[in-house]
Amino acid sequence: QVQLVESGGGLVQAGGSLRLSCAASGRSFSIYDMGWFRQGPGKEREFVAALKRTNGRTWYADSVRGRFTISRDNAENTVFLQMNSLKPEDTAVYYCAVPTRSLEYVSPKSLRSYDYWGQGTQVTVSS
């Protein structure tokens, strides 16, 4: 069993920054890869970023590359999403997720690759 809890969302003006956190529980968490997704109002859930924990390999959606950074702490019990230069289009509920298999063998960007999801945290970017 894996439990994920996101935090750090809030209201920020365009051009500002936020850092989201994903705290995980479960003994096997340290070996899990991680992903971030988001879902705006009336839109489908979309991929944002992913991290392979064994070697630090990262993947980013084109819409956030260069602005967002996914990372983890040294204990590997928390994964972060640093969001800079935020735009109103970034407004969404952000979810962290754990894939069913290593991201070496499944698509890091596919919803179907992930089994465990957090409850989400709201990010609102005002113009």
Side-chain angles (χ1 to χ4, degrees):
Q1 184 178 5
V2 177
Q3 294 184 344
L4 305 170
V5 179
E6 302 96 335
S7 63
L11 175 65
V12 65
Q13 289 189 330
S17 298
L18 283 173
R19 190 178 77 161
L20 306 183
S21 299
C22 177
S25 62
R27 180 167 294 181
S28 61
F29 173 76
S30 63
I31 67 172
Y32 287 142
D33 301 334
M34 297 287 292
W36 284 96
F37 291 76
R38 67 186 182 185
Q39 187 166 18
K43 297 183 177 181
E44 296 182 357
R45 193 169 299 183
E46 65 177 358
F47 169 79
V48 176
L51 171 70
K52 187 170 178 61
R53 300 174 70 90
T54 53
N55 61 8
R57 172 81 183 274
T58 58
W59 296 262
Y60 293 97
D62 290 343
S63 59
V64 308
R65 187 176 293 109
R67 300 188 297 121
F68 291 9
T69 303
I70 186 171
S71 62
R72 54 182 165 87
D73 68 4
N74 291 332
E76 300 185 357
N77 60 355
T78 304
V79 175
F80 305 101
L81 185 68
Q82 178 67 44
M83 305 185 296
N84 298 326
S85 301
L86 283 162
K87 306 174 181 179
E89 307 93 89
D90 297 317
T91 295
V93 177
Y94 284 71
Y95 301 88
C96 63
V98 172
T100 58
R101 302 177 64 194
S102 167
L103 294 180
E104 190 71 25
Y105 303 105
V106 299
S107 172
K109 302 180 180 181
S110 174
L111 289 167
R112 299 190 304 273
S113 298
Y114 298 82
D115 257 4
Y116 304 98
W117 296 84
Q119 85 290 344
T121 185
Q122 176 70 48
V123 172
T124 303
V125 184
S126 62
S127 61

